Amino acid sequence: MSAHAPSDLRRVGKSVSAAHARKPANAVGIQDVAQRSGVSIATVSRVLNGIKAKATEETEARVRKAADDLGYRPAHAGRALRMRQTKLVALLIPDISNAFYSTIARSIECALRQSDHPMILCNTDEDSALQDFYLDEMQSYHVRGVALLGAVESSGLQRALSHDLPIAFINRRPPQGGGVFVGIDNYAAGRAVAEHFLIKNFTECAIIRGPQYSSASRERFEGFTSRLKEAGAPVKAEDIVDSRLSIEDGYEAASRLFNRRRPRAVFCGNDLIAYGLFRRCAELNLNVPGNVAVFGFDDNPLNDWVAPWLSTVHIPYAAFGTAVTRALMELWTGERPAHAELLPFSLKLRGSAE
Amino acid sequence: MSAHAPSDLRRVGKSVSAAHARKPANAVGIQDVAQRSGVSIATVSRVLNGIKAKATEETEARVRKAADDLGYRPAHAGRALRMRQTKLVALLIPDISNAFYSTIARSIECALRQSDHPMILCNTDEDSALQDFYLDEMQSYHVRGVALLGAVESSGLQRALSHDLPIAFINRRPPQGGGVFVGIDNYAAGRAVAEHFLIKNFTECAIIRGPQYSSASRERFEGFTSRLKEAGAPVKAEDIVDSRLSIEDGYEAASRLFNRRRPRAVFCGNDLIAYGLFRRCAELNLNVPGNVAVFGFDDNPLNDWVAPWLSTVHIPYAAFGTAVTRALMELWTGERPAHAELLPFSLKLRGSAE
DNA sequence: TTGTATGCGTTATCAT
DNA sequence: ATGATAACGCATACAA
C-alpha cells in the first residue's frame, strides 16, 4: 500500500513555472478601506486588529463600515511577511488512510477551523526523514504551530523544539522529553484491561503488543503486565508477541502465537492487530470470544459494524480537536504549558453474553 | 510615493529589526546566500528559480553551494507577497474520516508533496456553505489550486471559477459544468456491474442507490439500469431504494427494501451501504451471497478483511494523486485542459464459489 | 551576465 | 488619537 517513496527530499525551490501572477482585479486592500473611511492605513490596521489604544468610537465605526462595505479581507501574505507568522497549523500524521488517525484528524481540523486556523496535512509514515522534511518545510512556511501525531525520534524534531516551534504531541509522547502531550493515559488503560482479564479469570492470556518505540504501545503493555504481576499472575515471556499496528502484521503475529500456545484471551496492541488475529482464529476454527476472547485498543469507528466480537479500549476521538487547540493556545500565549492534556478513556465490551 | 532611498542595502544588523515578533535567530535569507557567494540577491533568486537567462555555470555553482552550505530555505511569505501566489494546494473533501475519501486523500497528499506542494485539508461535509467558506478562505491564502472531492453546487464555486481559481473536480463532476474531472467512468462501471448481473442471471434484482445530486451516484445508477433495460430486464420502480452513503443509511434502506421484496441480488451505491445491507441480511437469516448476492462500489480498502462476501467495483486509489497533480499542472501551465482524466476501474468478485 | 532599485500588503514605530 | 513611513524577504523590470 505504501509505494510512496520520496527520492529527493531536500530540493529547495527547484523550478517555479513562470506562471503569471494573478491580477488583483477585485482585490481590496487596506489602502482602499483607509481611503473610503477617510483615515490612514495605520488607523485601519489598528482598528481591525483591536489594538487597545484604539481610536474614537466614531472613527472605529467608520472604518468597520468601510471594511464591511468593501468586503475587505486582510491579505495573509502581507501579514505573514511582516509578522513572520501565519495562522497555518500543520498536522503531521503517520497515515491519513488509517481510520484511527483519520478520525482524530477530522476532529482536529474541525476544531482548528473554528479558531480560524487552516490545517496543512502531512503524512509521515512514521519515517524520521519524512518527519524532518515536513518539520523544516512547515517552518519555512511560518506555520504557527504543529500537531504531531505519532512522533518518531529525529534530529529535525530536536531542532524544531530548539527553534521554539510550538508542538503538541498527540497520542505518543515526545521522544526526547519536553513539549505538551495530548492523549489518554495509556498506562492506566493497560491496567484497566488487565483488571478486566482478572475479573473474567483470563489469567491464561497472551499479548500481541505494538512497537515499543511508541510510548503509547509501551505504556499499554507496561500497564497491563504490571497489573497482572501484582495479581500474582505475571505474563510469561513466551506469551508476548511483537507486531506492528496493521491487520497484516496482526494476522502474522497471531499465526506465530497460535503455533505454540492456545491462550484463553489475547490483549492486542490495537484493533487492527485484533482484526488480523480474528482472521487467524477463523482459520483455526476458534470461536471468538467463546474459545479465545480478544481485546483490542482504540475502538475503531467501524467496530460496531464489522467487529461485534471485539472488546476494546474506547478513545474519545471527538475530544482531541479541542484538546489540541487548547494545548497550542497555551503554547502561543506563553502560559505555563501543562505537561499533558489527559483525555478520558473507557472499556468497551462486546460479544460477552453477560 | 516618496523616494527615501536607504543607501545602505546591506543589512546593518538583524538586531535593529524584529524586536516584536519571534525572530528565528538562525534564519538564513537570500541576502546571506548572496553575501556568501559574492553576488547580488537578484542573481541568487534567478539561479535558484532556474530562470532561463541564468548565469555563468561558475556563478551558478557558487550560488548553489552557498545556499546548500547555509541550508537556505526560501521564506515563502516573501514570495507569496510578491507573486500573489503560494505553492499551497487545498483539498476540499466531504469527510476525511471516511475510508474512501481518506485513501484518496493519502494518494493526493503524497503526489503533491513530490511536486513540492503542501496540502491544506478542508472537511466540507458536503455542505455548500462550508464549501463556500473554505473556497473563499483558500483564495485569500493565495492557494495555487484546489482539489475538490465531492463537490456540491454553490455560489462560491461559481465565483471561484470565474476568478480563474484552478480547480480539479474529483470523483464528482463540476455541478455547473466546466472544469477538469478526475475519476473513473461511473456510467461504464454501472453497465459493467449490470453485465455481471446478466451473466449470473441476477435479473431479479434491486438497487439501493446513492444521492442523485451526486454525478457519481447518478451515473452508476444510469449505467446499470440502461444495460438491464437493453437486455429486456428493466429494473422496476419498486426495486429502487434511495439511501445516503453510510452504513446506517444502508441498513435502513435495506430494511425498507426487504420489507416488500426479496431480490436475488442487490446493487448498492457504495460499499458502506452494502455493509449496512449485510447486517440486515444477517438479522433476517439471509445468506450472503447464497440467498442474496451483494454488489457494492469503491472496494473499500478493508474489504479483504471485513467483507469477504462483497463483490464490488474496484477503484485505483493510488492513481488519484498523480492524476490530480497532472490536471492541476495543466491548469497552471495554461495547456488546453483535458475535459476529464479518466481512471481505470475493475470488477472485484468475492464470495462466489465458481 | 549581473547589479540596482522598486513594490507586493501588512504591522509597528515613531512623530504629531 | 492619528498619520507618515520603515521594514519584512522575495521576484523582477530596467540598467549597466
Side-chain angles (χ1 to χ4, degrees), chain A residues 1-2 98 101 125-127 172 208-214 217 241-254 256 268-277:
Chain A
M1 284 278 278
S2 41
N98 175 311
Y101 295 128
D125 273 333
E126 304 199 33
D127 177 81
R172 198 179 293 173
I208 301 181
R209 65 182 185 182
Q212 294 300 288
Y213 61 76
S214 157
S217 293
V241 180
D242 284 287
S243 169
R244 294 197 302 173
L245 303 173
S246 74
I247 301 184
E248 291 79 2
D249 289 294
Y251 173 81
E252 207 185 304
R256 274 181 281 137
C268 300
N270 76 347
D271 285 355
L272 293 183
I273 291 179
Y275 287 9
L277 172 77

Side-chain angles (χ1 to χ4, degrees), chain A residues 142-213:
Chain A
H142 298 300
V143 297
R144 195 172 178 199
V146 170
L148 185 40
L149 183 41
V152 295
E153 191 167 356
S154 75
S155 58
L157 184 51
Q158 291 267 42
R159 204 181 326 136
L161 285 170
S162 72
H163 288 10
D164 285 323
L165 179 68
I167 302 182
F169 291 84
I170 310 170
N171 192 51
R172 198 179 293 173
R173 295 178 186 276
Q176 29 253 118
V180 181
F181 171 77
V182 175
I184 69 162
D185 183 339
N186 284 287
Y187 184 84
R191 286 185 67 90
V193 175
E195 195 70 46
H196 175 74
F197 273 41
L198 288 171
I199 293 174
K200 301 284 269 185
N201 207 29
F202 288 159
T203 48
E204 193 187 338
C205 66
I207 304 179
I208 301 181
R209 65 182 185 182
Q212 294 300 288
Y213 61 76

Side-chain angles (χ1 to χ4, degrees), chain B residues 101-247:
Chain B
Y101 296 127
S102 69
T103 307
I104 293 180
R106 172 75 156 101
S107 165
I108 294 175
E109 194 272 342
C110 183
L112 283 175
R113 162 166 49 81
Q114 285 171 356
S115 62
D116 199 25
H117 288 104
M119 187 185 89
I120 299 181
L121 181 78
C122 313
N123 287 295
T124 65
D125 273 332
E126 303 198 32
D127 177 79
S128 66
L130 202 44
Q131 175 177 290
D132 280 357
F133 164 77
Y134 270 127
L135 243 20
D136 285 349
E137 190 74 359
M138 291 302 101
Q139 277 174 285
S140 87
Y141 269 96
H142 298 300
V143 297
R144 196 172 177 201
V146 170
L148 185 40
L149 183 40
V152 296
E153 191 166 355
S154 76
S155 58
L157 183 51
Q158 290 269 44
R159 205 182 324 137
L161 285 169
S162 73
H163 287 9
D164 285 324
L165 179 67
I167 302 182
F169 291 84
I170 309 169
N171 191 52
R172 199 179 294 173
R173 294 178 187 277
Q176 30 252 117
V180 181
F181 171 77
V182 175
I184 70 162
D185 183 339
N186 284 287
Y187 184 84
R191 286 185 66 90
V193 174
E195 195 69 47
H196 175 74
F197 273 42
L198 288 171
I199 292 174
K200 301 283 270 184
N201 207 29
F202 288 159
T203 48
E204 192 188 337
C205 65
I207 303 180
I208 302 180
R209 64 181 186 183
Q212 295 299 289
Y213 60 77
S214 157
S215 70
S217 293
R218 209 167 48 231
E219 290 166 7
R220 291 169 192 184
F221 172 74
E222 286 170 358
F224 183 82
T225 52
S226 73
R227 181 64 188 89
L228 284 189
K229 190 171 186 179
E230 286 175 20
V235 181
K236 293 182 287 286
E238 68 256 34
D239 289 331
I240 301 173
V241 180
D242 284 287
S243 169
R244 293 197 303 173
L245 303 172
S246 73
I247 300 184

Side-chain angles (χ1 to χ4, degrees), chain B residues 4 17 30 42 45 49 72 75 78 82:
Chain B
H4 51 281
S17 61
I30 197 173
S45 174
N49 286 357
Y72 168 66
R82 183 62 168 80

Side-chain angles (χ1 to χ4, degrees), chain B residues 258-293:
Chain B
F258 287 138
N259 272 349
R260 58 171 188 262
R261 297 269 293 116
R262 286 296 158 91
R264 176 63 186 89
V266 182
F267 177 37
C268 302
N270 75 348
D271 286 354
L272 293 183
I273 291 178
Y275 287 9
L277 172 76
F278 181 78
R279 162 69 59 94
R280 189 62 189 142
C281 286
E283 290 175 355
L284 297 174
N285 281 318
L286 292 172
N287 178 270
V288 176
N291 301 322
V292 180

